[in-house]
Amino acid sequence: MGFFDFFKQSNINQGIEKYKMTAGAVLLDVRTPQEYQEGHIPESKNVPLQQLDNIVSVAKNKDIPLFVYCYSGSRSRQATGMLQRMGYSKVNNIGGIAAYSGKVEK
């Protein structure tokens, strides 16, 4: 990863397409429970960044592909690093729901 890759925003819409094509993948929303209730991407699981140790409730196997998003992409970037340090091998930061153009459910 180069220096400028750090500033490049992930495309959440492309990330969702990749998630849908990945068998057994988990879509992970790391926002607060309140933010999640206000609107989230269908099929996503809410494990707030501050409670990421609870990831085993949705992903026991560390080889499960995880597609992580938050509001802007900042918390999801933190979460992907934390998950990788926990031993998860297939972690994808897909960015922030603020740029998402698909359906949202409450």
Side-chain angles (χ1 to χ4, degrees):
M1 180 166 96
F3 177 75
F4 291 104
D5 291 338
F6 183 78
F7 297 104
K8 193 171 75 180
Q9 290 296 314
S10 302
N11 183 326
I12 190 165
N13 299 299
Q14 287 176 347
I16 294 297
E17 289 308 310
K18 190 174 174 190
Y19 156 74
K20 289 177 180 175
M21 296 185 296
T22 307
V26 172
L27 183 59
L28 189 63
D29 184 327
V30 295
R31 297 176 302 150
T32 65
Q34 182 180 349
E35 287 175 296
Y36 183 78
Q37 289 168 358
E38 289 170 1
H40 57 271
I41 299 170
E43 300 175 23
S44 65
K45 307 290 184 210
N46 183 223
V47 180
L49 180 64
Q50 297 81 0
Q51 298 162 12
L52 212 50
D53 344 346
N54 296 337
I55 186 64
V56 292
S57 65
V58 296
K60 289 176 181 56
N61 179 341
K62 295 194 175 184
D63 291 327
I64 290 176
L66 298 173
F67 289 81
V68 186
Y69 75 92
C70 62
Y71 180 76
S72 67
S74 179
R75 284 176 284 180
S76 57
R77 184 170 45 248
Q78 288 178 7
T80 53
M82 290 168 68
L83 289 163
Q84 288 165 340
R85 286 189 294 280
M86 293 166 133
Y88 286 87
S89 59
K90 298 176 181 166
V91 185
N92 304 279
N93 174 11
I94 61 170
I97 194 171
Y100 177 61
S101 60
K103 192 172 83 174
V104 172
E105 65 184 21
K106 294 183 182 196

